[in-house]
Amino acid sequence: MQGNGAGKTRPRRLLLCLDGVPHKVIEQEKGRGLFDSFGPPTRLLSPFPTMTNVALSAMLGASPPEGYESLYFDRKAGELRGGIRKYLGRRTPDKIPSSYMDDLDYQEPLAFEFLIYVAPDRIWRADMQRFRERFRAAPQTHDYFAFLKATDGLLHAQGPERLAIALESLDKILREIQSSCGKETEIVMFSDHGMNLEENRRVPLTEALQRRGFQVVIPAFGLCSYAALYCRDTDVIPEVARASAEITGVDFAIYKDSGDVVIESEHGQARIEQRLDGDAASYRYVVVSGDPLRLKDFHDRFATDHDWFEQTAGHRYPDALPNIYKSLFTSRVKHTADILVSLKDGYYYGWSPFGRIVRLAATHGNALQSSSNAFLMSTHRELPAFVRADDAKALLRN
Ligand SMILES: [Zn+2]
């Protein structure tokens, strides 16, 4: 990776992304003495749905991926695209979901992405060794960007105790790197999204909606706490969203209604309105019934994007209004869903045969804190307490 001022106007950087490691976990690990040369970890707010390619393309200002995962629905073609085939063979251009991948100096070999679920410890060790060797051989005049993906699979399949062992090894490697590179190298460690650390149950979303006569396509791939719905008949979108919100395990469902976002949940219905004043956006939370996002105590008038961030970054749904609004109105992915469903912690949607192979000890994807709070910390710089994914690039790359 070509760093702007790397080694000249500022220290060269090692950017190390640990897939899926929650802010809470890093805080605990620091509490027991690991990573003690880093400053306090910032809450880096992962955009909804809290999935790797959505998050990293936002954090690095890169091109949006085709879909939320490698299996996605292409509306023009009217069919599902991508899927498991991307795991076979070489990482050819069609298997690169977003341009952020072009910036990676190190990422695991392609087959590891799947094997991590089968042999997590072996894969994790091989991945870390390889990273250590590649970094050692890299020129000191450039930033170095490494993505360790095995942490995500390790958490999904084995839970936090196993991850803690892996992080001890990583801590040793980073200490070695620091003692050989000295102060001239800043280490910036971050994650793309968090996780809820509890056993998860499957939500039979497709079955429940089909039973009610709705024709919906819901790509089922990883086992995650969100779902992307595409309706064959767009007139039924509001009805499908309402029906989804009644299914056990669903927290809320959202869809676009002209310039607004409508939220349906068992706690009522609300809308998010946006107003643009030049480039500056304001948002308003309009309750129709109940209080689905638990924001009644905040503004009932328009407030700026900045005000919402300042006041709700630590909320149950971090930065709820701008985040949820942007999930449908910005190009987080190329094939935006008609309805996005956020599940409660403890529930997942996904490919059922895969669900029978792995016990799901943790997952992510929803708009709650555990999945939204990724982390960001540096050996050299003090960082603000909360950082939005869309604002991370300035801290990572400048
Ligand atoms: Zn991830």
Side-chain angles (χ1 to χ4, degrees):
M1 188 178 98
Q2 209 74 24
N4 300 345
K8 299 183 194 89
T9 56
R10 61 158 172 83
R12 161 232 205 183
R13 251 172 231 161
L14 164 59
L15 296 174
L16 187 57
C17 180
L18 303 183
D19 195 334
V21 175
H23 178 270
K24 197 169 93 179
V25 166
I26 281 298
E27 214 169 35
Q28 281 163 3
E29 296 304 321
K30 271 183 76 69
R32 65 181 184 108
L34 262 53
F35 312 117
D36 58 1
S37 53
F38 286 85
T42 284
R43 286 176 176 78
L44 175 56
L45 304 184
S46 189
F48 174 66
T50 44
M51 301 297 292
T52 296
N53 291 331
V54 175
L56 285 181
S57 60
M59 290 168 184
L60 295 154
S63 66
E66 295 289 336
Y68 304 96
E69 290 173 85
S70 67
L71 180 72
Y72 64 94
F73 186 71
D74 185 322
R75 174 174 298 288
K76 252 197 212 138
E79 63 179 26
L80 288 165
R81 294 259 166 104
I84 200 79
R85 266 167 307 162
K86 86 158 192 148
Y87 288 106
L88 304 174
R90 277 160 37 87
R91 202 173 244 132
T92 49
D94 61 305
K95 294 174 189 171
I96 293 176
S98 159
S99 57
Y100 77 79
M101 285 215 170
D102 300 336
D103 293 344
L104 291 174
D105 296 294
Y106 175 79
Q107 63 177 319
E108 66 184 3
L110 197 56
F112 280 27
E113 271 192 55
F114 183 73
L115 288 175
I116 185 69
Y117 294 95
V118 189
D121 292 319
R122 202 156 54 85
I123 292 302
W124 162 255
R125 281 204 191 94
D127 200 16
M128 273 207 300
Q129 285 311 330
R130 202 179 300 237
F131 153 66
R132 193 216 315 240
E133 277 149 35
R134 297 273 176 83
F135 179 70
R136 202 177 274 159
Q140 300 243 356
T141 46
H142 294 307
D143 288 350
Y144 191 91
F145 183 10
F147 184 25
L148 298 184
K149 224 165 163 357
T151 43
D152 182 273
L154 206 60
L155 267 174
H156 274 297
Q158 311 257 327
E161 297 78 21
R162 229 19 184 284
L163 179 72
I165 300 169
L167 291 178
E168 278 172 27
S169 320
L170 179 63
D171 181 57
K172 275 195 202 113
I173 291 179
L174 294 184
R175 280 174 204 278
E176 267 175 42
I177 288 177
Q178 279 196 296
S179 68
S180 67
C181 296
K183 270 215 149 53
E184 284 71 47
T185 298
E186 174 192 6
I187 306 178
V188 178
M189 195 153 75
F190 68 106
S191 60
D192 50 350
H193 54 80
M195 292 251 182
N196 74 293
L197 305 174
E198 58 195 278
E199 288 260 5
N200 287 274
R201 280 185 292 162
R202 187 168 184 274
V203 176
L205 206 54
T206 311
E207 297 89 321
L209 291 172
Q210 276 173 355
R211 221 177 296 127
R212 296 192 48 178
F214 295 117
Q215 293 221 336
V216 286
V217 179
I218 318 176
F221 193 65
L223 310 179
C224 297
S225 55
Y226 86 102
L229 281 60
Y230 301 82
C231 299
R232 301 260 182 216
D233 170 9
T234 50
D235 290 344
V236 300
I237 290 173
E239 248 183 288
V240 172
R242 193 158 315 140
S244 307
E246 288 164 12
I247 299 167
T248 305
V250 170
D251 191 5
F252 64 75
I254 56 168
Y255 62 94
K256 285 194 235 183
D257 182 28
S258 58
D260 302 345
V261 167
V262 178
I263 304 138
E264 290 281 2
S265 98
E266 60 182 0
H267 301 288
Q269 195 200 62
R271 308 173 76 85
I272 305 173
E273 297 175 352
Q274 192 207 47
R275 203 167 64 186
L276 286 173
D277 188 12
D279 271 351
S282 297
Y283 297 92
R284 178 160 76 152
Y285 179 61
V286 182
V287 166
V288 180
S289 64
D291 183 11
L293 294 180
R294 274 98 152 167
L295 286 171
K296 237 162 59 181
D297 298 335
F298 292 84
H299 310 273
D300 56 358
R301 275 164 292 169
F302 275 100
T304 63
D305 182 65
H306 178 77
D307 282 351
W308 279 112
F309 175 69
E310 290 279 292
Q311 290 173 38
T312 62
H315 186 265
R316 168 188 177 87
Y317 303 102
D319 195 27
L321 284 209
N323 181 34
I324 290 169
Y325 190 88
K326 286 175 193 167
S327 71
L328 292 176
F329 278 99
T330 58
S331 307
R332 294 281 184 221
V333 297
K334 287 184 192 146
H335 299 277
T336 305
D338 296 323
I339 301 170
L340 279 172
V341 165
S342 185
L343 301 175
K344 293 173 181 167
D345 281 342
Y347 292 90
Y348 73 87
Y349 174 77
W351 191 46
S352 53
F354 197 37
R356 281 193 280 274
I357 306 169
V358 295
R359 180 185 74 100
L360 197 60
T363 197
H364 57 94
N366 69 24
L368 287 162
Q369 279 184 330
S370 48
S371 288
S372 305
N373 287 341
F375 78 94
L376 168 65
M377 61 188 186
S378 157
T379 52
H380 285 47
R381 284 176 292 160
E382 268 216 44
L383 302 164
F386 295 92
V387 175
R388 268 184 186 158
D390 291 331
D391 299 329
K393 189 184 177 188
L395 300 170
L396 298 171
R397 310 292 302 274
N398 287 354

